[in-house]
Amino acid sequence: MSIVWESRYALRMRGVTSSTIREILKLTQRPEVISFAGGLPAAEYFPTERFQDACQRVLSNSAHQALQYSPTEGYPPLREFIAERLNRSYNIQVDIDNVMITSGSQQALSLLAGLMINPGDHILVEHPTYLGALQAFSTFQASYVSVPCDDNGICAEQVPAALRHAPKFMYILPNFQNPGGTTLHADRRQELVNIAEAHGVPIVEDDPYGMLRYDGEDIPSLLAFDAERLGGRAHQYDGNVIYLSTFSKSLAPGLRIAWVVGPPQVLARLVQVKQGADLHTSTFNQMVIYEVAKDGFIDEHVATLREVYRKRRDAMLGALDRFMPHEVRWTQPQGGLFLWMHFPAQINARELFEASVRRNVAFVPGDAFFTEPDPPPTARINFSCMDEAGIVEGIKRMAEAIEELLVAAQTQTVVP
Amino acid sequence: MSIVWESRYALRMRGVTSSTIREILKLTQRPEVISFAGGLPAAEYFPTERFQDACQRVLSNSAHQALQYSPTEGYPPLREFIAERLNRSYNIQVDIDNVMITSGSQQALSLLAGLMINPGDHILVEHPTYLGALQAFSTFQASYVSVPCDDNGICAEQVPAALRHAPKFMYILPNFQNPGGTTLHADRRQELVNIAEAHGVPIVEDDPYGMLRYDGEDIPSLLAFDAERLGGRAHQYDGNVIYLSTFSKSLAPGLRIAWVVGPPQVLARLVQVKQGADLHTSTFNQMVIYEVAKDGFIDEHVATLREVYRKRRDAMLGALDRFMPHEVRWTQPQGGLFLWMHFPAQINARELFEASVRRNVAFVPGDAFFTEPDPPPTARINFSCMDEAGIVEGIKRMAEAIEELLVAAQTQTVVP
């Protein structure tokens, strides 16, 4: 008798499906497609020479260390570097024991899910929220309680009511949210930190895009608000926020180097989960990323990226204004990689996706980012990995596809 | 009210503790300690120049690809390369859809655990078995049914009785087992493959050391026996074995590049688990490993390693013969990185560890490798990462520590 593989799979696999985005990306990799679907950084701006120099330096000076096994917590100089930058940015006090390296932020989400989620546990999420987080949490059979977002991010005043579901933690993307493109107002950050303390519910703050701001002033992270509550620089951080960020957007995603900041007692447990998950993150990549980032290079490079992405965002906002039917609305992101579109109710986002792909333009239909069935018709569109001319052309074609569907919907209404 | 973190952790964390080995490694990193505790490859034989050339080639020719996000399944040329080598070694037919890249073999174990283990499910393991596998499985709340090993590996004739526990899969290390150092006899491989088919229970075959054979003839993998059962080269492999291996022992562990071979239907599900776990393994590292390994280099390099490690193993076996009290026994590994010691019953392995560390020599007490309490006194000792003189000196000191404990035990017996 051959093996019945389905009978071998764990119950948790019933909630695990392929990422819609990754499946869509496969469909749209034909070179003639203008794709707003991914969240890829602009490859033509990767600091390749700096990576070449860093690889040579690491392998010339420290090959025995770089190619060998290493501690689960991560490469100490990189952890120090991350702690120092946070302390400088926010005037707080985190140290090396507050920092752990992960194999991309996706791993951090997965490890936190493994650490905290029992089957059926609720997680408080934004509405809509990052698909990859839902995928990581659903592997551990999470349930969700979602709180809506407006142009100032998650509606903090609705959070206390949602806490009746006893969520294990709140998952918050404060800056240039994926997919919404919105930024959480400072007052709401303070409010969330107060709620976490008052109700004893941790916050997982996911901040991959914080450095990529194109207008306005930086707002301190939830971590910084929470450290402030504890008395700022006085102590090693031991509060209520677990903060995630990554080098994927500021340097390059292909090395999979990200980090978690949190209370040392939590990281000590998270390290145990990571030991079982992959022993440790590539020693070589951690050392190379450190060599690339250090001595101020990361700030110089991010300044370049901000210029490039600001222009692309502006090209997209300009094209939307010019081409989109008046019934369509979209967010005005101050940074990050995405904006979010709201379509009139008679548009079906999956049909629009198909009509757009027929015109060789792609995006991600918004329903993938919701935890509830039948959300309103929306889309996430990315502006980071296409030049301005491509962006304008893509938006023009997408507008044509919308017009087509609006006309069809009207015809259907008039002639039943 | 501050957060009570313990109340936030999932039930599965009760079974998750730090790896004894990693804790011991921390204790023994003082330079004066002769450590047989780790399982580290010899860093002085890492092919550093080849890695330097590979990094330059990848970044000169393909930086935009290497530094970017990439598919979860892995870098296609590397998957092809792995499939072709397996087909050549074993005269079987696996193709690119049978191969998936993972971030080290530890990740493969963790993903398989996520795919298959419900809380309380039994896994059939060897007795003793690899600690890291127990750690990966225990994160998903596995139970164990263990089958003893002798000098020819797991006692296959005892496996059918153990199947009464309905294990989700059998976890088998056929070559130069970690920790036992033993090799599974060909007849038993055939028998296990027959049992898997007869009872519909998959085999997870973990083969990190198969290339590192120092005496005797290579024995086909369980995967090869199972492919043979299916008719050898006739079809794309779709059998009962999931095979794991890694570049960590043949090239370098610091890049964390390993692979899984299995039926395409299983890998399709495993890819979904990996998407949630880390999106994909470092694109850059996969491309670098491919550049390093290709054109026959990996075979040349492994031939060098076999020479080096054979001498170290022989130095260890010679020193054991010369210095150890006659009551102590050990395995005669034909390859790999470890041998396994059995002590007389009056020795406590943890006390021996302490007596050895006082003499600046370290090893791993064997109890960490058993799934049951109070196993007989044993130890795993590594011979790959120390020169011959260090090996001889370390064994001499360890023998002195054993003599000391034997004398103390005798005294205690005589004078109660």
Side-chain angles (χ1 to χ4, degrees):
Chain A
M1 77 188 188
S2 258
I3 285 171
V4 183
W5 286 104
E6 281 297 329
S7 74
R8 298 283 140 186
Y9 300 148
L11 214 54
R12 74 182 67 81
M13 291 304 294
R14 296 192 191 166
V16 175
T17 54
S18 266
S19 152
T20 311
I21 292 186
R22 293 189 81 82
E23 297 306 313
I24 286 177
L25 284 177
K26 278 187 196 165
L27 289 175
T28 60
Q29 274 170 348
R30 302 195 314 272
E32 66 273 24
V33 172
I34 297 174
S35 179
F36 303 138
L40 305 185
E44 67 272 31
Y45 289 93
F46 288 149
T48 304
E49 283 179 27
R50 182 99 183 170
F51 272 105
Q52 284 178 311
D53 292 348
C55 289
Q56 285 313 297
R57 260 201 313 278
V58 167
L59 288 173
S60 300
N61 303 333
S62 320
H64 290 188
Q65 181 183 1
L67 301 176
Q68 190 58 285
Y69 289 109
S70 62
T72 308
E73 293 83 350
Y75 178 54
L78 184 62
R79 295 162 66 206
E80 290 275 12
F81 176 83
I82 289 164
E84 278 166 21
R85 282 178 61 80
L86 272 170
N87 292 341
R88 218 170 41 237
S89 299
Y90 298 132
N91 196 33
I92 61 177
Q93 184 60 44
V94 304
D95 65 26
I96 189 169
D97 294 324
N98 292 115
V99 182
M100 166 178 160
I101 306 297
T102 60
S103 306
S105 271
Q106 185 69 32
Q107 185 185 46
L109 293 168
S110 173
L111 298 178
L112 286 167
L115 176 67
M116 293 203 264
I117 302 175
N118 285 318
D121 274 355
H122 280 78
I123 308 303
L124 187 149
V125 296
E126 296 164 325
H127 185 71
T129 190
Y130 171 52
L131 187 53
L134 296 178
Q135 209 178 358
F137 303 160
S138 292
T139 303
F140 293 92
Q141 297 166 272
S143 298
Y144 300 99
V145 49
S146 66
V147 173
C149 294
D150 62 21
D151 288 347
N152 288 311
I154 187 169
C155 298
E157 77 282 3
Q158 297 187 35
V159 167
L163 294 183
R164 287 176 304 178
H165 293 268
K168 267 291 170 76
F169 56 83
M170 305 183 242
Y171 174 67
I172 307 290
L173 293 127
N175 293 316
F176 330 124
Q177 200 234 20
N178 179 357
T182 54
T183 298
L184 187 60
H185 192 280
D187 292 347
R188 291 188 179 177
R189 296 183 191 217
Q190 182 65 61
E191 202 174 334
L192 287 181
V193 160
N194 293 346
I195 291 169
E197 174 66 9
H199 296 266
V201 180
I203 295 171
V204 172
E205 176 180 24
D206 193 359
D207 186 26
Y209 317 112
M211 293 181 83
L212 297 175
R213 174 177 278 278
Y214 317 132
D215 321 306
E217 292 287 306
D218 281 337
I219 304 172
S221 65
L222 292 157
L223 175 73
F225 277 98
D226 196 51
E228 177 67 29
R229 174 185 68 77
L230 289 167
R233 292 194 67 84
H235 307 288
Q236 181 193 56
Y237 179 72
D238 192 18
N240 304 333
V241 175
I242 298 168
Y243 172 93
L244 319 184
S245 192
T246 176
F247 293 105
S248 290
K249 307 307 187 290
S250 55
L251 294 175
L255 275 77
R256 318 299 305 121
I257 302 294
W259 66 89
V260 183
V261 175
Q265 58 172 317
V266 177
L267 296 195
R269 293 296 263 161
L270 207 58
V271 161
Q272 294 174 339
V273 184
K274 184 166 164 67
Q275 280 182 4
D278 71 351
L279 295 184
H280 65 85
T281 295
S282 167
T283 327
F284 180 60
N285 294 17
Q286 294 183 67
M287 293 173 76
V288 167
I289 283 281
Y290 174 69
E291 286 295 316
V292 169
K294 73 181 191 183
D295 299 334
F297 177 80
I298 191 169
D299 294 312
E300 283 169 41
H301 185 65
V302 165
T304 305
L305 293 180
R306 276 200 290 252
E307 280 307 301
V308 171
Y309 293 157
R310 176 189 291 118
K311 285 183 195 153
R312 292 180 178 187
R313 179 205 57 176
D314 290 345
M316 185 167 270
L317 289 173
L320 286 164
D321 276 335
R322 186 167 154 207
F323 296 114
M324 280 295 153
H326 67 91
E327 301 95 325
V328 178
R329 293 181 299 113
W330 53 89
T331 53
Q332 305 280 333
Q334 296 184 310
L337 309 181
F338 304 108
L339 60 79
W340 183 244
M341 299 181 72
H342 298 265
F343 305 115
Q346 63 268 41
I347 296 272
N348 176 306
R350 296 269 161 172
E351 282 174 24
L352 176 61
F353 176 73
E354 284 159 27
S356 298
V357 168
R358 282 196 297 274
R359 290 174 166 80
N360 284 329
V361 60
F363 61 86
V364 183
D367 53 308
F369 301 93
F370 288 91
T371 55
E372 287 153 29
D374 301 319
T378 51
R380 189 192 77 175
I381 58 178
N382 165 270
F383 53 79
S384 62
C385 70
M386 179 93 36
D387 63 22
E388 281 106 293
I391 288 171
V392 173
E393 177 61 27
I395 293 295
K396 187 165 159 252
R397 292 187 202 168
M398 208 173 146
E400 287 165 8
I402 294 169
E403 299 277 13
E404 179 190 292
L405 292 198
L406 285 175
V407 168
Q410 204 172 25
T411 315
Q412 282 172 358
T413 312
V414 175
V415 190
Chain B
M1 79 189 187
S2 257
I3 285 171
V4 182
W5 287 102
E6 281 298 328
S7 73
R8 296 283 141 185
Y9 299 149
L11 215 54
R12 73 183 66 82
M13 291 304 294
R14 295 192 190 165
V16 175
T17 53
S18 266
S19 151
T20 312
I21 293 186
R22 294 189 78 84
E23 296 306 313
I24 285 177
L25 284 178
K26 277 188 198 166
L27 288 175
T28 60
Q29 273 170 348
R30 304 194 314 271
E32 67 273 24
V33 171
I34 297 174
S35 179
F36 303 137
L40 304 186
E44 65 273 32
Y45 289 93
F46 288 148
T48 304
E49 282 178 28
R50 182 101 181 165
F51 272 105
Q52 284 178 312
D53 292 347
C55 289
Q56 285 313 297
R57 258 199 316 278
V58 167
L59 288 173
S60 300
N61 302 334
S62 320
H64 290 187
Q65 181 182 2
L67 301 176
Q68 190 58 285
Y69 289 109
S70 62
T72 307
E73 294 83 351
Y75 177 55
L78 183 62
R79 295 162 66 206
E80 290 275 14
F81 176 83
I82 289 164
E84 278 166 22
R85 283 179 61 81
L86 273 171
N87 292 341
R88 217 170 42 238
S89 300
Y90 297 132
N91 196 32
I92 60 177
Q93 184 60 41
V94 304
D95 65 26
I96 189 169
D97 293 324
N98 291 116
V99 182
M100 168 180 158
I101 305 297
T102 59
S103 306
S105 271
Q106 184 70 31
Q107 185 185 46
L109 293 168
S110 173
L111 298 179
L112 286 167
L115 177 66
M116 294 203 265
I117 302 175
N118 284 319
D121 273 355
H122 281 79
I123 308 302
L124 188 149
V125 296
E126 297 165 324
H127 186 72
T129 190
Y130 172 51
L131 187 53
L134 296 178
Q135 209 179 0
F137 302 160
S138 292
T139 303
F140 292 92
Q141 298 166 272
S143 298
Y144 301 98
V145 49
S146 66
V147 173
C149 296
D150 62 20
D151 288 346
N152 290 312
I154 187 170
C155 298
E157 77 282 3
Q158 298 187 37
V159 167
L163 294 184
R164 286 176 303 177
H165 294 268
K168 266 293 169 73
F169 57 84
M170 306 184 240
Y171 174 67
I172 307 290
L173 293 126
N175 293 316
F176 330 126
Q177 201 234 19
N178 180 1
T182 54
T183 298
L184 186 60
H185 192 281
D187 293 347
R188 291 187 180 179
R189 296 183 193 218
Q190 182 66 60
E191 204 174 333
L192 288 181
V193 161
N194 293 348
I195 291 169
E197 175 65 9
H199 296 266
V201 180
I203 295 172
V204 172
E205 175 178 25
D206 193 0
D207 186 26
Y209 316 113
M211 295 181 81
L212 296 175
R213 174 176 276 281
Y214 317 130
D215 321 307
E217 293 286 308
D218 281 336
I219 305 172
S221 65
L222 293 157
L223 175 73
F225 277 98
D226 196 51
E228 177 66 27
R229 175 185 67 76
L230 290 168
R233 292 193 68 82
H235 306 287
Q236 181 193 57
Y237 179 72
D238 192 18
N240 305 332
V241 175
I242 298 167
Y243 172 93
L244 318 184
S245 192
T246 176
F247 292 104
S248 290
K249 308 308 188 288
S250 56
L251 293 176
L255 275 76
R256 316 300 304 119
I257 302 293
W259 66 90
V260 183
V261 175
Q265 58 172 317
V266 178
L267 296 196
R269 293 295 263 163
L270 207 57
V271 161
Q272 294 174 338
V273 184
K274 184 165 164 67
Q275 281 182 4
D278 70 353
L279 295 185
H280 66 84
T281 295
S282 166
T283 326
F284 180 60
N285 293 16
Q286 294 183 68
M287 293 174 77
V288 166
I289 283 280
Y290 173 69
E291 286 294 317
V292 169
K294 72 181 190 182
D295 299 333
F297 177 80
I298 192 169
D299 295 312
E300 285 170 38
H301 185 65
V302 165
T304 306
L305 293 180
R306 277 200 291 253
E307 279 308 301
V308 172
Y309 293 157
R310 176 190 290 117
K311 285 183 193 151
R312 292 179 179 187
R313 178 204 59 176
D314 291 345
M316 186 168 270
L317 289 172
L320 287 165
D321 276 335
R322 184 164 158 211
F323 296 114
M324 280 293 154
H326 66 92
E327 302 96 322
V328 178
R329 293 181 300 112
W330 52 89
T331 53
Q332 305 279 332
Q334 295 183 311
L337 308 182
F338 305 107
L339 61 78
W340 182 245
M341 300 184 69
H342 299 265
F343 305 114
Q346 64 269 39
I347 296 271
N348 175 307
R350 295 270 163 171
E351 282 174 23
L352 177 60
F353 177 73
E354 283 160 26
S356 297
V357 168
R358 283 196 295 274
R359 290 173 169 81
N360 284 330
V361 61
F363 61 87
V364 183
D367 53 308
F369 301 92
F370 289 91
T371 54
E372 288 152 28
D374 301 321
T378 51
R380 188 191 77 174
I381 58 179
N382 164 271
F383 53 78
S384 61
C385 70
M386 179 97 34
D387 64 22
E388 280 107 293
I391 289 172
V392 173
E393 178 61 28
I395 293 295
K396 184 163 164 254
R397 292 186 202 170
M398 209 173 143
E400 288 165 8
I402 293 170
E403 297 278 14
E404 179 190 292
L405 293 198
L406 285 174
V407 168
Q410 204 171 29
T411 315
Q412 280 172 0
T413 313
V414 175
V415 188

